[in-house]
Amino acid sequence: MKFRGIMIDAGPMREFTNIVTTISKLSKECVLRLSDDKLYFIVSEDNSGPAPPVLWCEIPQVVFFSEYQMIGIDEEHKDIYLSVISANLAKSLVTLKSAKSLKIKLTKKQCPCLTLEIEMQSVISQQSRQVTHDIPVVVVPRKMWSDFHEPKVQTPDISIELPTLKQLRTTIDRMRTMAQEVVIRASAEGKLTLQIKTDMAKVSTRFKDLRVEAFEGPIDHSDSETESVAIEDISKLCHCRVDAKKFSMFLSADNISHNRTICSIVHKKLVILCLYTQENVKLQCFITGIVY
Amino acid sequence: MKCHVPGPNVKVLGRTVHVLARFGDELYLESLPDCVLLKTLNASESAYAMIKFNNSFFSYFKYNFYSTEDNESLKCKISMKSALNAFKSPTHMDKQVENLEIKLDPDACKLIFQFKCKHGIVKTHYVSILDCKATQAVYTKDQVPNRIITSQRLLSETLGNFQSSDDQVTIEATNQSLILRNYVDANIELTKIIRTQINLKASEFDSYTVGVDTTITFTLKEFRALLAFAEALSLPIQLQFETTGQPVVFIVHNGTTFEAHFVMATSKPDALTQTQASSQNNSRTDYKRKEVNNSVGPMKKKPHLDIDISKCLDEDSHLFNYIDIPEETDLRPEKNGTTEANAAEEDNLQEYMDCDIPGSPTSRTKIKSVFKRCFESTFDPRSIQGVKLVENSDSD
């Protein structure tokens, strides 16, 4: 098992730090999967046993690394899966924003480590200095790899582009103080509604004129309560109730400079939030719906 | 003794008190005929700080203000808390305080700080004197072989790479470079801690003389505090040290008015941090396991206090059972004696390269020999032939 990668461009290094920082906010531990062409950060829900990942992040290595070499265990198992405490990785990468280069490799120093060799430019002098961080990792055994496969989800009923994450985040964070759950509604006409209900009040925030990426036509509302708005065409409306905290956590990803974010909803079951960046990084968050 | 400190210098004095507060809980103030010394020592007596203010620091300085006897220096000890109270928020002090008067009467029981602030406000702090003794640390600073002068910026930039949870730093000095790394305590599990190493070239320092290559370890808390002090005053830091075990001295001075010495005890470097020291590793884990056993034992017993003791013993024996998972690696060292234990371990290390989850075979064998009797009745002889009771959980 071998891995070695070098980053020399400031832009990708900053972006990589942002991604890792975001992931460290979302979870305590994550799995870093290294494959020939991509790096994956995978987060499974804590203490929930074998469950499909809740976060799936793909990073194409070509854009980020100037040099990238890896050898897996054997021909059949080309990938490397490493379990790492995400905060450790994030804390070590903090200084990367002002670094000249980063060399990242898998080493064995008493325990398996991900060694980060950061070449720092000294602020005072013209010299550069070498900073080495050894972050302990756990190599995930092959038989557990299946726990970290990309979740297979049914085709979402609707995929709609989200408004700016910052705006969405302030909205959600306000709502979070009042209720734990938020209902996300999306219609084929490009409307997105976030709604909470408390004993005292019902608060909704509506966003309109959003681009609808896909709509898998009419939605069956036969089993639901008939409280939805009558004016709108109900068959074009899709909704899901989710944990507000989880939703808000995804929105903290707004420090990653992204091109677009898509919210896909499987009616009443699942919300998939997906963020794409210019460098072809894809960060996906799966939030299961709460059903009553 | 009576002295006046002008406004801008009050800020410096305030910062001094704040850095001293990071070192110790008591503040010693000593007045000599031409200077004032502020000193502190931490509770474990591993760190000492002394800051000397020459009389040019003061706008007015009279040593024998109260008494005419000149033969003995004036000394007092006050609590650091009360000193901190007098010097709250040093950053804004120079804007508010115009003048500070400090009075120390050898016959009185109070030390007086009188702040004359803007708009005619006068704040007077009467600080109780706890003792009339002084402290003096013995250390050499000028004859040491290793002397480094550096800008405070370089060091604080360097320390920024360490985690805030790190509490000690190891400095490895050679005549080409200075290597700083976080000290990993033997009791901390290696899989939890980030090991950081920073390599500074000799040319980065303003002056760099290392006569004897050495490795020293000292606490980061005080180091950070004194760096913050040097940074606030933007003064360079002079580092002087000898070898392991000898104190390291940090000197911050502005030439004429004041000079600060921070002395810290150094301890042995941890061989484990970067190098592979299998034998130490061994005893370390062993120690930890034992500790775990000890602590778990009584806890487990507690709820069963009323129930008969055999039950307790049963409970306890479970504690050892988990160690008894027969593995070939476990048995080899036991059969061959301790001399081969290291060799076996080397083997393990080799095997371990292919192995996904690192085991800790050595500790198991140690435990086994320590609690040998416990195993006698439950020991399964089949396992010697390599019969596995439990399938290896890790096929890789």
Side-chain angles (χ1 to χ4, degrees), chain A residues 72-291:
Chain A
I73 299 168
D74 54 36
E75 272 303 301
E76 277 167 57
H77 304 88
K78 281 183 179 165
D79 294 2
I80 299 175
Y81 286 71
L82 304 168
S83 169
V84 55
I85 295 166
S86 31
N88 280 356
L89 196 55
K91 280 193 280 181
S92 306
L93 288 175
V94 168
T95 50
L96 202 60
K97 284 172 187 171
S98 56
K100 266 170 88 181
S101 73
L102 165 75
K103 196 193 275 179
I104 177 165
K105 56 188 179 184
L106 186 63
T107 56
K108 204 180 86 64
K109 295 181 179 175
Q110 288 170 297
C111 65
C113 282
L114 208 54
T115 299
L116 308 177
E117 283 174 20
I118 302 171
E119 200 182 329
M120 298 284 295
Q121 178 69 55
S122 171
V123 180
I124 350 156
S125 59
Q126 286 307 302
Q127 311 232 331
S128 66
R129 72 178 74 109
Q130 192 93 19
V131 179
T132 315
H133 297 284
D134 293 330
I135 303 159
V137 293
V138 175
V139 180
V140 179
R142 265 175 285 180
K143 66 175 169 194
M144 282 169 72
W145 286 10
S146 57
D147 295 350
F148 304 107
H149 283 161
E150 185 168 8
K152 285 189 183 68
V153 290
Q154 62 186 96
T155 335
D157 293 314
I158 192 165
S159 292
I160 190 165
E161 192 159 343
L162 285 177
T164 56
L165 292 189
K166 213 169 206 163
Q167 198 179 13
L168 212 53
R169 196 173 161 197
T170 39
T171 315
I172 283 290
D173 284 347
R174 298 258 164 79
M175 288 180 162
R176 246 178 75 191
T177 55
M178 289 184 271
Q180 286 182 346
E181 290 157 9
V182 58
V183 178
I184 303 171
R185 273 204 192 90
S187 82
E189 283 126 17
K191 284 184 190 155
L192 183 81
T193 314
L194 304 173
Q195 188 178 66
I196 52 157
K197 267 187 222 164
T198 68
D199 296 343
M200 304 286 289
K202 189 163 134 182
V203 183
S204 321
T205 307
R206 295 187 184 83
F207 298 93
K208 52 182 185 177
D209 299 333
L210 300 167
R211 204 157 58 87
V212 177
E213 297 260 310
F215 180 69
E216 299 291 323
I219 286 143
D220 183 16
H221 281 273
S222 57
D223 57 335
S224 65
E225 64 269 45
T226 50
E227 51 96 29
S228 344
V229 203
I231 315 148
E232 269 180 288
D233 185 1
I234 202 166
S235 64
K236 286 186 177 175
L237 196 72
C238 174
H239 66 87
C240 188
R241 186 194 300 269
V242 293
D243 187 352
K245 199 173 142 198
K246 284 183 187 164
F247 191 43
S248 154
M249 282 205 307
F250 170 78
L251 300 175
S252 69
D254 67 347
N255 63 355
I256 304 171
S257 59
H258 50 274
N259 275 353
R260 59 202 176 112
T261 44
I262 307 290
C263 172
S264 306
I265 302 174
V266 178
H267 186 54
K268 285 186 156 183
K269 280 187 188 142
L270 184 71
V271 173
I272 307 158
L273 299 162
C274 193
L275 179 141
Y276 298 91
T277 78
Q278 199 139 31
E279 292 92 356
N280 276 330
V281 172
K282 189 167 128 192
L283 189 115
Q284 261 179 302
C285 205
F286 302 87
I287 308 171
T288 38
I290 301 162
V291 189

